[in-house]
């Protein structure tokens, strides 16, 4: 499998040579993270901007500047007294590592149905989903780190709970896609701001704010596998109030034929128990109290019912009910004049209720985890001098978990129990950015945590960026981290897998690093190239049916992200990631972590004009190592075969406010093995209508 890396290192320079030959007159937009507007820019020397931006919107297929997309056009206010800020004000992030961004326009082009669909187009992600909206238990990884080794935020507020094993502790279907303005992916020094557990990265979901005259948007889709999906959004602003409300209903039975030997294959040869039904609600209200103070309230509600698929044999029949509620209130105040000193105070409430249940022959079992989490954050963003910016503050988090376990199986009755546990965590954080000279900056970060379960620990981070020339910049970062075991891993029996908790678990402790270069090859081609790595000791896993610290895992890899403007209305991108996550201790020493492919390549080309759109996406996956719950004939060194997937999406304008959308997925029709005997459904389609009023 490692040969894929050498092939890509040869292919990428060829691509760089070939792309500029197609370049035309349209310019590439790059977001300036210190301002709320987008500007057309090259990579500048540090003396030309207040703080240099390395944010890479290399994943979006943006329209040419002269074009207007009727679905995303912003309606200006007719009242001169109304001050409407740009939607989803950019976060002020450390600049020594790239920020990858997928915006609303690209999300619509892709036809994303969930956050998982959005993330799988980003560099570094391996998302082993099956069908449409299927069980998240099949695994999500970023740079070799699991979903619970990354931090997920909504508008800068954490949504991860303290649940790890109940099939989607961070549910990537929990937010209506229609409510998402953009998704940002950070790493490196940003972990000091949001949590020491971000071995992988930080995913920040920015939701829409209302603006201009009231506007109603709606869509309805139908397609293969009994899929039906309806979304509606209503938003706008009036005087000093902004509002946005979204609703999404999604269903698919995910019933399709799978090959002999596939996991969860029923007697008729179909994938069984993979149906998914979700209803998600989102609402936000923003209030400008005066020129210096604003309040914002957002609420997200999820109701999800699905069958569980995992890699086990025989047939898995367990069901999962997941109900979630996330509420956040934030207050932003500007001190002094302009944006040189801002204080943001936020309070959040997050509840997740997971209930699994199912028969095991003549017996029955249930398991429920109810997590309630209160968070508070005070943050001061202060431009101390023209060359020095400080971002510091305080995080508070209290988690209460109740676990109920019940089984009528005589071999499991001894594990029946009710657990009630609490955890309190406080953290002080600071990231200071200095511009040293004209071409060099350094980020220094510290996060001091005080944990009621695991004591006190300090996690430092450092990053730097040097503009070698106006078109080339180099950067690097290092961050220490600690991820504590979840309360469920410590105390609650897992009724689905039969895994026992372990109150003696130790935290995972390690560090991550990256080094990279940003290049503006031409007016129409920009690229970012990153070497990344991590070393995580005492990694958590299961040994003989019980949670344990299984040892050391070292990860090294390479990311490339390119964006090209071919001509007016045309654009393309290419992302490639190589990930080598090697187990260094134990029985599987020297093997790649299961479910993580060595190579993943994503590329797309798109055209849009006057409301017409066509987008072609290609994915190459080198195949991941089969791991737990494999067939008895499988070896520990077996990999799933590599595969290539081709998707086509398009939009046809029917009227000025109505469009026909078409998504054709897996055009090659290959029913490839997604991961560990879980197979894709082959060719599928979706057809829908989208409208704006």
């Amino acid at each position: 499998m490692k040969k894929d890396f050498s092939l890509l290192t040869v292919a990428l320079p060829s691509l760089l040579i070939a792309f500029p030959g197609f370049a035309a007159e349209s310019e590439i937009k790059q977001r300036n993270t210190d301002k709320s507007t987008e500007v057309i820019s090259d990579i500048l020397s540090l003396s030309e901007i207040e703080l240099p931006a390395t944010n890479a919107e290399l994943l979006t297929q943006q329209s040419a500047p002269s074009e207007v997309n009727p679905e995303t056009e912003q309606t200006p206010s007719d009242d001169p007294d109304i001050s409407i800020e740009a939607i989803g004000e950019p976060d002020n992030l450390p600049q020594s590592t790239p920020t990858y961004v997928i915006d609303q326009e690209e999300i619509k082009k892709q036809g994303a149905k969930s956050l998982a669909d959005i993330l799988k187009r980003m560099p570094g992600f391996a998302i082993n989903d099956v069908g449409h909206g299927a069980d998240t238990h099949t695994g999500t990884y970023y740079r070799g780190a699991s979903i619970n080794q990354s931090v997920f935020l909504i508008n800068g507020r954490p949504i991860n709970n303290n649940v790890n094993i109940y099939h989607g502790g961070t549910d990537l279907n929990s937010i209506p896609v229609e409510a998402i303005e953009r998704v940002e992916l950070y790493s490196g020094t940003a972990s000091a701001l949001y949590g020491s557990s971000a071995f992988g990265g930080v995913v920040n979901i920015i939701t829409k704010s209302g603006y201009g005259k009231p506007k109603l948007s709606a869509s309805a889709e139908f397609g293969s596998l009994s899929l039906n999906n309806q979304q509606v959004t209503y938003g706008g602003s009036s005087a000093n109030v902004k509002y946005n409300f979204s609703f999404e209903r999604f269903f698919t039975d995910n019933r399709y034929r799978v090959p002999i030997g596939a996991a969860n294959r029923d007697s008729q040869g179909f994938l069984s128990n993979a149906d998914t039904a979700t209803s998600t609600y989102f609402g936000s209200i923003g209030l400008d109290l005066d020129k210096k103070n604003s309040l914002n309230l957002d609420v997200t509600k999820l109701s999800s019912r699905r069958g569980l698929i995992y890699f086990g044999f025989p047939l898995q029949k367990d069901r999962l009910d997941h109900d979630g509620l996330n509420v956040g209130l934030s207050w932003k105040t500007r001190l002094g004049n302009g944006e040189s000193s801002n204080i943001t105070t936020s309070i959040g409430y997050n509840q997740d209720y997971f209930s699994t249940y199912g028969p095991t022959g003549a017996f029955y079992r249930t398991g429920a985890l109810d997590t309630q989490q209160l968070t508070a954050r005070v943050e001061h963003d202060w431009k101390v001098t023209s060359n020095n910016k400080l971002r510091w503050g305080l995080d508070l988090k209290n988690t209460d978990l109740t676990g109920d376990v019940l089984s009528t199986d005589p071999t499991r009755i001894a594990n029946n129990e009710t657990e009630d546990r609490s955890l309190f965590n406080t953290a002080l954080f600071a990231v200071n950015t200095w511009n040293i000279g004209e071409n060099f900056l350094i980020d220094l970060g510290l996060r001091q945590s005080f944990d009621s379960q695991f004591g006190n620990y300090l996690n430092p981070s450092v990053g730097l960026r040097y503009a070698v020339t106006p078109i080339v910049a180099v950067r690097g970062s290092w961050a220490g981290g600690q991820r504590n075991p979840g309360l469920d891993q410590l105390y609650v029996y897992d009724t689905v897998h039969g895994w026992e908790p372990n109150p003696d678990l130790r935290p995972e402790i390690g560090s991550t690093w990256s080094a990279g270069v940003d290049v503006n090859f031409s007016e129409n081609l920009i690229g970012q190239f990153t070497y990344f790595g991590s070393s995580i000791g005492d990694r958590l896993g299961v040994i003989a049916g019980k949670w344990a610290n299984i040892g050391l895992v070292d990860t090294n890899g390479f990311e490339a992200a390119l964006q090209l403007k071919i001509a007016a209305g045309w654009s393309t991108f290419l992302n490639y990631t190589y990930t080598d996550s090697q187990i260094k201790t134990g029985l599987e020493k020297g093997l790649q972590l299961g479910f993580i492919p060595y190579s993943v390549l994503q590329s797309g080309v798109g055209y849009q004009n006057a409301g017409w759109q066509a987008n072609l996406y290609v994915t190459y996956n080198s195949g991941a190592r089969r791991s737990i719950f494999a067939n008895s004939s499988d070896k520990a060194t077996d990999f799933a075969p590599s595969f290539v997937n081709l998707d086509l999406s398009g939009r046809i304008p029917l009227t000025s406010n109505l469009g026909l959308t078409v998504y054709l997925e897996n055009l090659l029709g290959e029913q490839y093995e997604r991961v560990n005997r879980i197979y894709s459904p082959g060719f599928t389609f979706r057809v829908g209508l989208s409208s704006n009023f």
Side-chain angles (χ1 to χ4, degrees):
M1 295 299 172
K2 292 188 179 182
K3 65 182 181 181
D4 298 301
F5 178 65
S6 60
L7 290 175
L8 264 296
T9 55
V10 173
L12 283 172
S14 301
L15 288 169
L16 299 181
I17 294 171
F19 280 173
F22 295 96
E25 297 179 356
S26 60
E27 296 188 0
I28 296 173
K29 292 185 196 175
Q30 182 175 355
R31 189 181 305 274
N32 182 335
T33 55
D34 292 317
K35 300 180 181 179
S36 60
T37 59
E38 287 188 329
V39 296
I40 299 171
S41 68
D42 295 326
I43 297 178
L44 306 174
S45 66
L46 302 189
S47 62
E48 297 180 73
I49 48 179
E50 293 179 354
L51 281 177
T54 59
N55 289 4
E57 292 190 45
L58 305 179
L59 316 179
T60 60
Q61 298 179 19
Q62 301 170 352
S63 58
S66 59
E67 294 183 69
V68 176
N69 186 334
E71 288 196 348
T72 58
E73 181 181 50
Q74 297 188 15
T75 305
S77 171
D78 296 326
D79 188 341
D81 295 328
I82 298 176
S83 174
I84 301 172
E85 295 184 357
I87 300 174
E89 185 176 345
D91 204 350
N92 175 28
L93 294 165
Q95 303 297 307
S96 51
T97 53
T99 297
Y100 299 118
V101 179
I102 288 186
D103 62 16
Q104 177 192 96
E105 183 179 349
E106 178 64 16
I107 292 170
K108 288 185 176 181
K109 289 179 184 179
Q110 295 175 2
K113 305 169 296 300
S114 65
L115 179 60
D117 281 345
I118 298 172
L119 294 178
K120 72 183 181 183
R121 303 290 187 195
M122 287 186 160
F125 268 97
I127 297 181
N128 304 316
D129 55 355
V130 178
H132 297 292
D135 175 21
T136 57
H137 181 255
T138 44
T140 295
Y141 297 88
Y142 177 63
R143 292 182 174 178
S146 70
I147 190 172
N148 292 305
Q149 291 171 319
S150 296
V151 173
F152 284 77
L153 311 169
I154 179 170
N155 299 322
R157 190 177 67 252
I159 57 174
N160 294 69
N161 55 34
N162 206 253
V163 177
N164 290 276
I165 58 177
Y166 267 66
H167 305 281
T170 302
D171 194 328
L172 300 183
N173 299 277
S174 60
I175 298 171
V177 173
E178 186 62 30
I180 297 175
E181 174 64 25
R182 69 180 184 275
V183 176
E184 300 176 343
L185 174 61
Y186 329 136
S187 58
T189 316
S191 62
L193 296 173
Y194 294 114
S196 62
S197 61
F199 286 116
V202 178
V203 176
N204 193 10
I205 305 154
I206 308 297
T207 58
K208 295 178 182 177
S209 297
Y211 60 94
K213 296 179 180 179
K215 180 181 178 181
L216 177 67
S217 302
S219 66
E221 280 185 356
F222 301 91
S224 305
L225 310 178
S226 302
L227 181 144
N228 66 80
N229 183 21
Q230 297 85 42
Q231 300 186 50
V232 61
T233 293
Y234 180 74
S237 63
S238 176
N240 59 343
V241 178
K242 298 178 288 185
Y243 52 89
N244 188 76
F245 305 97
S246 299
F247 167 75
E248 180 177 5
R249 178 187 177 274
F250 177 87
F251 173 79
T252 179
D253 65 11
N254 269 324
R255 182 169 170 78
Y256 53 89
R257 289 194 176 276
V258 291
I260 295 175
N264 245 51
R265 184 180 187 266
D266 65 18
S267 59
Q268 296 176 315
F270 287 86
L271 182 68
S272 176
N273 200 45
D275 57 291
T276 293
T278 61
S279 295
T280 50
Y281 307 82
F282 172 80
S284 70
I285 298 177
L287 176 63
D288 293 330
L289 302 175
D290 53 42
K291 291 183 178 181
K292 293 189 175 183
N293 292 275
S294 60
L295 287 173
N296 191 82
L297 172 70
D298 63 79
V299 180
T300 306
K301 179 72 174 71
L302 164 72
S303 178
S304 171
R305 304 292 180 263
R306 66 182 62 184
L308 287 177
I309 8 177
Y310 65 83
F311 319 124
F313 300 89
L315 205 62
Q316 165 66 273
K317 297 181 179 179
D318 285 273
R319 307 290 297 176
L320 169 65
D321 293 350
H322 177 200
D323 295 296
L325 175 64
N326 190 281
V327 182
L329 177 66
S330 63
W331 170 31
K332 180 178 179 179
T333 182
R334 297 172 174 84
L335 305 178
N337 297 320
E339 292 286 337
S340 61
S341 181
N342 299 316
I343 292 181
T344 303
T345 304
S346 60
I347 300 174
Y349 171 76
N350 187 40
Q351 181 182 25
D352 280 293
Y353 177 78
F354 293 93
S355 176
T356 58
Y357 50 93
T360 55
F363 306 109
Y364 194 81
R365 64 176 180 268
T366 63
L369 292 177
D370 187 3
T371 306
Q372 300 187 58
Q373 195 171 80
L374 284 172
T375 63
R377 181 181 177 96
V378 180
E379 180 180 313
H380 185 200
D381 189 358
W382 181 22
K383 187 176 180 180
V384 183
T385 69
S386 60
N387 295 320
N388 187 5
K389 183 171 285 189
L390 174 65
R391 188 172 176 181
W392 66 287
L394 170 69
D395 274 333
L396 302 172
K397 180 169 66 175
N398 186 80
T399 305
D400 294 312
L401 181 143
T402 301
D404 290 305
V405 176
L406 175 64
S407 176
T408 61
D409 187 337
T411 64
R412 295 191 175 192
I413 287 178
N415 294 299
N416 292 347
E417 63 172 343
T418 296
E419 287 282 354
D420 190 355
R421 300 283 178 170
S422 295
L423 182 70
F424 184 72
N425 184 279
T426 304
L428 296 168
F429 62 87
V431 173
N432 203 344
T433 299
W434 284 281
N435 285 347
I436 303 174
E438 294 185 350
N439 302 310
F440 183 73
L441 72 74
I442 185 169
D443 296 314
L444 294 178
L446 288 174
R447 187 175 183 90
Q448 174 67 56
S449 299
F450 307 89
D451 192 276
S452 62
Q453 182 85 32
F454 294 100
N456 307 333
Y457 47 94
L458 177 68
N459 298 113
S461 60
V462 61
L464 56 87
R465 183 174 185 270
Y466 176 64
V468 182
T469 72
I471 63 171
V472 177
V474 295
R475 50 182 161 75
S477 68
W478 177 92
Q482 174 170 323
R483 173 182 172 255
N484 300 326
L487 289 173
D488 53 339
Q489 293 171 309
L490 291 165
Y491 303 113
V492 183
Y493 179 72
D494 178 359
T495 61
V496 175
H497 303 95
W499 293 343
E500 295 182 10
N502 184 353
D504 297 322
L505 292 174
R506 300 181 299 276
E508 297 176 333
I509 298 176
S511 59
T512 63
W513 56 87
S514 69
V517 59
D518 308 328
V519 186
N520 232 358
F521 294 99
S522 70
E523 289 184 343
N524 297 318
L525 177 63
I526 55 177
Q528 289 194 301
F529 308 91
T530 304
Y531 165 77
F532 62 86
S534 66
S535 182
I536 303 175
D538 280 330
R539 183 149 180 158
L540 296 172
V542 177
I543 299 177
K546 184 175 183 178
W547 280 101
N549 294 99
I550 62 174
L552 175 67
V553 174
D554 284 349
T555 297
N556 292 277
F558 172 76
E559 286 175 2
L562 302 167
Q563 186 190 46
L564 170 70
K565 285 289 185 180
I566 303 173
W570 289 88
S571 60
T572 187
F573 73 91
L574 183 146
N575 304 320
Y576 170 73
T577 305
Y578 173 83
T579 307
D580 182 3
S581 289
Q582 189 174 125
I583 302 170
K584 307 299 288 187
T585 58
L587 296 176
E588 294 187 336
K589 180 179 179 180
L591 296 180
Q592 173 87 338
L593 275 178
F595 318 137
I596 301 174
Y598 279 113
S599 292
V600 175
L601 183 145
Q602 298 271 358
S603 186
V605 60
Y607 175 76
Q608 63 181 40
N609 183 31
W612 292 79
Q613 288 184 6
N615 305 277
L616 183 66
Y617 299 97
V618 61
T619 300
Y620 166 77
N621 187 304
S622 66
R625 186 174 72 90
R626 299 191 182 118
S627 187
I628 57 173
F629 300 113
N631 278 324
S632 58
S633 60
D634 291 341
K635 302 182 182 66
T637 54
D638 286 350
F639 276 71
S642 61
F643 63 84
V644 175
N645 183 74
L646 206 60
D647 298 332
L648 178 67
S649 69
R651 181 183 187 274
I652 302 171
L654 303 178
T655 69
S656 59
N657 296 318
L658 184 66
L660 174 68
T661 57
V662 179
Y663 302 99
L664 307 177
E665 297 166 317
N666 196 352
L667 291 174
L668 301 178
E670 179 187 358
Q671 194 168 27
Y672 50 81
E673 182 180 349
R674 188 74 184 176
V675 66
N676 224 101
R677 304 297 185 188
I678 301 289
Y679 288 82
S680 73
F683 173 77
T684 59
F685 71 90
R686 292 180 286 141
V687 178
L689 292 173
S690 62
S691 60
N692 296 296
F693 302 99

